Amino acid sequence: MDTPIVINNLTKKFGDVIAVNNVSLRIEPHTFLTLLGPSGCGKTTLLRCISGLEDPDEGEIYIGDTLIYSHAKGISVPPGQRELGMVFQNYALWPHMTVYKNMTFALEIQKLPKAEMDKRVKESLEEVKMSGYENRYPREMSGGQQQRIALARMLAYRPKVFLMDEPLSNLDARLRMDMRTELKRLHHISDATTVYVTHDQLEAMTMSTNIAVMKEGVIQQMDTPDMIYHYPANLFVADFIGNPKINLLKGWVSSEDVVDLGKFNIPAYTHRKTGDVVAAFRPEDITIHTEPVEGGVEFSAYSVQPSGADTTIIAHKGDTEIIVKEMGVSKIAMDQKIWLTFNKEAINLYDKATEKLITGS
């Protein structure tokens, strides 16, 4: 289904609060776009505007070639006519209906033949690994099973676009991991255009084709997960993405490709930039040494936090703190002297005034 979504200059207000602020974007067909950001950033409001559950105050929305909303032209296609499927955080299953009735409720409105409805229910339940649950009621199933049924209901409807509003947030950690696998597989099988809302960066990074990071109703960066992680467009995106969090240290360009951080210098591509900057580098891009090495900066291991697969080390040099991540169980002891070296290729610089990424272009 070649169904792009195009949003032009969309604004939605609640009283004096601007929830979505002049947003424009194009969601390509077959892609999995995640709207990611902290609570109150406008991601759910934007999704609800696409679905028709909220009417924006300005702008236009196209699904495929169809204009489904235009403030200027007075067009607002009702949600049921937008050919969208939506999965909510709270499952939204009718408690008094069986799984079969929950799944065929919308299909009956479409007046599909019973044989076709039976076929769609069977196929959709197989896709979410819930075959044989047709006669169960929601109260007879776990939260994870109910969410699978909600997904199956959407699949049976066969919409052009999948919309998902934090569908995994009510599940425990193990179930969330399992459901991430299933959602990514379902998107692959259906080849639909998917818009997914979450505040969980792990969900966004593992499932998405593209991520739109939002803050205060504005898209800060829309890009692939790899670009969002390795080349954040500004300091907000850099600080929001990553666990353990990224290291952000203020400094200034002391000479070409050298940044002075006060107590020590680091190598970084300065791209002819001068003046005050913020250096950003991920914990995994720092190497720890137990003996002095060329280019190494002496620190002390303030805290060592093994988690099995990797170890997080908090290193101190005076009042400067740096987070380092080592794979496996580290042999570093607390208060041990260590020397850190920095990967020039992995360091990003940001203009201190504008907070935007400094690049060579």
Side-chain angles (χ1 to χ4, degrees):
M1 294 181 286
D2 291 330
T3 310
I5 301 172
V6 178
I7 297 171
N8 297 321
N9 307 116
L10 203 72
T11 295
K12 174 62 181 176
K13 301 176 183 177
F14 295 100
D16 294 332
V17 177
I18 303 176
V20 177
N21 192 352
N22 196 33
V23 165
S24 295
L25 72 147
R26 177 183 172 89
I27 305 169
E28 296 296 339
H30 317 299
T31 58
F32 191 121
L33 172 73
T34 295
L35 302 176
L36 175 68
S39 297
C41 71
K43 55 189 184 293
T44 292
T45 301
L46 180 56
L47 188 80
R48 288 173 64 85
C49 288
I50 296 171
S51 71
L53 297 177
E54 298 283 356
D55 269 348
D57 297 294
E58 298 175 21
E60 293 182 335
I61 305 173
Y62 287 85
I63 295 182
D65 296 326
T66 304
L67 179 62
I68 62 166
Y69 179 82
S70 172
H71 177 76
K73 298 177 181 177
I75 296 172
S76 182
V77 176
Q81 297 176 25
R82 296 190 180 192
E83 298 185 77
L84 307 170
M86 191 157 183
V87 177
F88 298 90
Q89 178 179 349
N90 61 357
Y91 321 137
L93 298 175
W94 295 103
H96 64 289
M97 291 183 181
T98 63
V99 165
Y100 181 89
K101 290 296 291 181
N102 264 284
M103 292 180 63
T104 58
F105 184 75
L107 305 183
E108 289 174 352
I109 295 174
Q110 292 180 317
K111 299 183 178 178
L112 289 185
K114 187 173 187 309
E116 176 63 18
M117 289 194 293
D118 290 346
K119 178 174 178 268
R120 291 195 188 187
V121 168
K122 182 175 183 295
E123 291 175 350
S124 299
L125 288 176
E126 285 176 354
E127 287 182 4
V128 300
K129 300 178 182 177
M130 292 292 286
S131 296
Y133 280 73
E134 289 87 341
N135 296 318
R136 295 274 190 99
Y137 287 90
R139 64 178 178 273
E140 298 173 329
M141 297 180 291
S142 69
Q145 290 172 328
Q146 289 184 57
Q147 194 60 281
R148 288 174 186 265
I149 296 301
L151 289 168
R153 177 179 58 186
M154 180 181 69
L155 291 171
Y157 182 59
R158 296 185 182 173
K160 292 181 179 179
V161 176
F162 294 171
L163 304 179
M164 303 187 192
D165 186 10
E166 302 201 51
L168 308 185
S169 60
N170 287 342
L171 307 180
D172 61 41
R174 176 61 185 271
L175 269 177
R176 283 202 303 272
M177 183 175 68
D178 292 343
M179 288 302 297
R180 284 200 301 268
T181 300
E182 297 304 327
L183 284 174
K184 191 162 187 176
R185 184 68 189 171
L186 285 174
H187 172 75
H188 174 73
I189 292 169
S190 66
D191 206 26
T193 306
T194 301
V195 185
Y196 188 97
V197 164
T198 186
H199 62 271
D200 186 328
Q201 57 176 281
L202 184 60
E203 288 182 16
M205 294 295 293
T206 54
M207 295 195 296
S208 310
T209 310
N210 290 288
I211 299 172
V213 182
M214 296 187 68
K215 175 189 177 187
E216 296 175 354
V218 177
I219 294 178
Q220 304 293 308
Q221 183 176 3
M222 179 171 166
D223 217 323
T224 64
D226 182 65
M227 291 296 291
I228 292 279
Y229 188 79
H230 290 106
Y231 301 98
N234 57 41
L235 286 176
F236 172 80
V237 178
D239 194 39
F240 187 77
I241 298 292
N243 185 25
K245 67 180 182 179
I246 197 169
N247 295 287
L248 299 174
L249 296 180
K250 296 177 182 178
W252 61 92
V253 177
S254 58
S255 60
E256 185 177 357
D257 291 351
V258 177
V259 176
D260 190 329
L261 297 178
K263 294 183 175 62
F264 58 96
N265 296 337
I266 60 170
Y269 292 112
T270 53
H271 304 294
R272 299 178 300 281
K273 168 70 178 175
T274 60
D276 293 340
V277 296
V278 177
F281 40 93
R282 298 287 179 191
E284 65 270 22
D285 292 324
I286 304 166
T287 304
I288 293 184
H289 309 267
T290 55
E291 300 290 340
V293 295
E294 183 180 355
V297 182
E298 184 179 328
F299 275 76
S300 173
Y302 178 77
S303 178
V304 180
Q305 304 168 25
S307 62
D310 53 59
T311 302
T312 300
I313 298 166
I314 311 300
H316 280 188
K317 184 178 182 65
D319 59 359
T320 299
E321 179 177 288
I322 288 180
I323 303 172
V324 187
K325 181 178 178 180
E326 279 198 323
M327 297 308 296
V329 178
S330 176
K331 292 183 169 36
I332 301 295
M334 290 176 65
D335 295 326
Q336 179 179 343
K337 283 187 179 180
I338 54 177
W339 285 262
L340 306 182
T341 54
F342 301 84
N343 179 5
K344 180 179 180 180
E345 304 290 331
I347 296 174
N348 289 321
L349 296 184
Y350 294 84
D351 185 287
K352 186 179 177 183
T354 66
E355 300 191 348
K356 292 182 179 179
L357 178 65
I358 297 168
T359 67
S361 59

